[in-house]
Amino acid sequence: MPPARKDKIGMKDIAEAAGVSVMTVSAALSGAGRVSDTRKREIVALAHRMGYRSNAAARLLKSKRVEDLGLLIFEKEELIRENAGFMDMTVQFMQECLRNNIHFQLEWFDCYRNSEALPQMLTNGLVGGLLIAGAPQNAAKHFIENDLVLPSVTLCEPGKYSVGFDNENSLRQAVYYLASLGHANIGLINGPETLGVFQGFRHAFDTAMSELSLLRPDTFHAENQPAGEFQYELRKVTEAFLKTRNRPTALLVFSGLFTKAFISDLQRNGIRIPEDLSIICHETVDWETEKFSPPISAVERKYDDLIAAGVKMVRELMDGQEIRCPNTLILPSFSKRGTVCPPERRNN
């Protein structure tokens, strides 16, 4: 175990903790000398944990150009495991790097459980550019905003350089499609509208409904909390739908995982999909919605396009190129499957 931190950590402290000489520590942190890559990584990581982070990273970066790319995902551990988007993002990042012969590293980090810690990828000097997904918090957020020297691009979050999805226009497209089929009573099940992305969904939905003269005081809106207790959130939303006096004939529902559970819950309560209720899922991926019965109509994020654009941008930053479009939006695809039909079929 490394010794407790003190105000100023020196090479001697790191050497004692690692059981090596000061010369070995110096060689590892400077990137010079005959130290194996494995040993170098161990010493740099130890230096980071002991508080020597900035010096270690800066010296490694000065000693040579590092070409490896990193994908760093910030989220609560349980949401990382449950989110199809993070899985798709990881797979597409690996494939994109392999196609372009780029060495890469991956790290998932829960900055809520580790509020005072930093991901190793931020400071160990072993990547030359970063794609950052999720929303950093606590010490990680402060470090990225104030101390990060690596070229970086954020994915699906605001940033100086970012690549995201044009969620609002795609959601508007779904509203217009339902209206074209004859649905006049359309509702929205959204994520928590305390967060910017869900405020955007609500704004896009309400705007499209207003443009179509379909927005009314009793238009159905409900929220589910992705970080909440899943069965409670499902029961809450299902009960709200079943109790509403003027039930919508169509719904836009956030999250593939939640949509599948919601459809099953409705069917247990005698609601037929799509004869009694048409459903379009938004914020999901194709394999999550097409492998269900019935296959779900959905606005689907194309993570292959997102990652390709992100990798291209971060490599341009690493090369010192001017970024012509620093905030790029990718339009999701709209797949029409078995959970939507015109409302007049409901009574057939």
Side-chain angles (χ1 to χ4, degrees), residues 7-225:
D7 291 340
K8 187 173 182 180
I9 298 295
M11 289 189 185
K12 182 179 179 182
D13 303 302
I14 300 168
E16 290 176 355
V20 298
S21 68
V22 174
M23 288 182 63
T24 300
V25 171
S26 177
L29 297 183
S30 67
R34 296 181 179 178
V35 182
S36 70
D37 288 342
T38 299
R39 194 60 168 148
K40 186 187 299 181
R41 291 190 184 96
E42 292 173 351
I43 292 172
V44 170
L46 177 61
H48 156 55
R49 293 196 298 272
M50 294 177 67
Y52 200 78
R53 297 184 288 261
S54 296
N55 289 342
R59 291 179 183 180
L60 273 174
L61 287 171
K62 286 179 182 178
S63 67
K64 62 178 181 177
R65 178 179 167 113
V66 181
E67 299 286 353
D68 288 17
L69 292 187
L71 173 62
L72 176 56
I73 297 177
F74 290 96
E75 187 49 273
K76 293 181 179 179
E77 181 181 332
E78 55 271 26
L79 293 185
I80 290 175
R81 297 175 65 189
E82 293 173 0
N83 190 290
F86 286 141
M87 181 58 66
D88 227 33
M89 188 183 294
T90 301
V91 171
Q92 296 299 336
F93 174 72
M94 294 171 64
Q95 291 181 346
E96 181 69 15
C97 289
L98 290 170
R99 277 194 296 269
N100 291 281
N101 197 29
I102 302 170
H103 293 287
F104 61 88
Q105 297 188 38
L106 302 166
E107 186 171 0
W108 292 2
F109 189 79
D110 187 335
C111 48
Y112 297 92
R113 292 185 180 175
N114 305 286
S115 61
E116 300 302 317
L118 295 177
Q120 292 188 21
M121 198 179 288
L122 288 180
T123 61
N124 62 15
L126 300 178
V127 296
L130 273 177
L131 296 180
I132 299 175
Q137 300 294 328
N138 303 314
K141 183 175 187 289
H142 183 272
F143 184 88
I144 289 170
E145 291 177 348
N146 298 282
D147 300 311
L148 183 64
V149 296
L150 288 171
S152 63
V153 173
T154 59
L155 301 176
C156 304
E157 293 287 342
K160 182 179 180 181
Y161 301 103
S162 66
V163 180
F165 291 108
D166 191 349
N167 297 308
E168 296 185 25
N169 277 328
S170 57
L171 191 142
R172 285 165 53 84
Q173 179 187 358
V175 172
Y176 270 80
Y177 172 66
L178 290 170
S180 74
L181 294 178
H183 292 279
N185 187 355
I186 304 168
L188 174 68
I189 297 176
N190 203 8
E193 292 174 11
T194 53
L195 300 179
V197 63
F198 299 114
Q199 292 170 13
F201 285 148
R202 175 64 180 268
H203 175 73
F205 174 80
D206 286 354
T207 300
M209 292 286 284
S210 294
E211 291 169 351
L212 294 163
S213 300
L214 298 179
L215 188 64
R216 301 190 301 264
D218 64 346
T219 293
F220 183 81
H221 293 97
E223 293 184 19
N224 79 78
Q225 300 284 340

Side-chain angles (χ1 to χ4, degrees), residues 295-308:
I296 302 170
S297 298
V299 176
E300 296 159 346
R301 296 183 163 192
K302 298 173 68 65
Y303 282 98
D304 51 347
D305 290 346
L306 178 92
I307 291 297

